Amino acid sequence: MSQSTMSLVLYFVVFFGIMYFLMIRPQQKQAKQRQALLSGIRVKDRVVTSGGIYGKITKVKDNSVMLQIADKVEIEVAKSGITSVENRDITAEDSKKSDKKNEKNGKNKNNQSEKGIDLEKETSEVDSESEKA
């Protein structure tokens, strides 16, 4: 083979390698995560559907779930229509992150109250104004 043919083949190999790592591999990883999410759905999980409906799962079937969206109101939703699960068990690593966030939020609330901003008073004032109207 000539030098130009070898370089052309090398360019194609490099191009497809880059495309694989930038496009195909992340999509496969995301599809695996979604499949794990859908296969791990349990009764009493709070979920959000693709239509934006929040609800609690009352029954899991093969390809669908029964979703309680209000008292005495249940709908059947395809599993593929579920976009996220709201109340997953938190791993140890995630709990450490949430503890740090809570500490930061506590510091922010302390700073706000020191500056004279009391959120509870503001909300109670808004509530009392709305009751008067």
Side-chain angles (χ1 to χ4, degrees):
M1 281 208 237
S2 68
Q3 184 74 7
S4 63
T5 307
M6 288 294 277
S7 64
L8 183 63
V9 170
L10 181 64
Y11 284 130
F12 276 119
V13 169
V14 169
F15 177 74
F16 284 115
I18 291 172
M19 292 298 287
Y20 174 77
F21 283 107
L22 291 179
M23 294 178 69
I24 298 169
R25 189 166 181 245
Q27 285 179 347
Q28 289 175 342
K29 192 174 183 181
Q30 191 176 28
K32 263 186 193 176
Q33 288 175 342
R34 177 146 174 80
Q35 184 63 33
L37 173 93
L38 293 179
S39 64
I41 290 176
R42 308 182 294 265
V43 173
K44 296 184 181 178
D45 277 347
R46 290 196 49 80
V47 296
V48 180
T49 65
S50 59
I53 298 172
Y54 287 77
K56 184 172 71 170
I57 294 178
T58 57
K59 186 176 180 182
V60 178
K61 298 180 181 179
D62 288 337
N63 294 322
S64 63
V65 295
M66 294 300 291
L67 194 66
Q68 180 182 6
I69 56 175
D71 291 338
K72 299 179 184 179
V73 179
E74 288 188 8
I75 58 174
E76 187 171 5
V77 178
K79 278 187 177 179
S80 61
I82 294 174
T83 57
S84 66
V85 178
E86 294 292 311
N87 64 334
R88 275 286 156 195
D89 294 334
I90 298 175
T91 61
E93 190 173 284
D94 292 339
S95 66
K96 288 179 184 177
K97 290 179 184 177
S98 65
D99 289 343
K100 288 181 182 178
K101 286 181 183 179
N102 290 339
E103 287 176 9
K104 288 180 182 178
N105 289 340
K107 289 178 184 177
N108 288 342
K109 287 180 182 178
N110 290 340
N111 291 339
Q112 289 175 349
S113 62
E114 288 174 3
K115 292 178 183 177
I117 300 172
D118 192 358
L119 298 176
E120 292 178 11
K121 287 183 180 178
E122 289 180 12
T123 56
S124 63
E125 289 174 2
V126 171
D127 291 339
S128 63
E129 289 176 9
S130 63
E131 290 175 3
K132 291 177 183 177

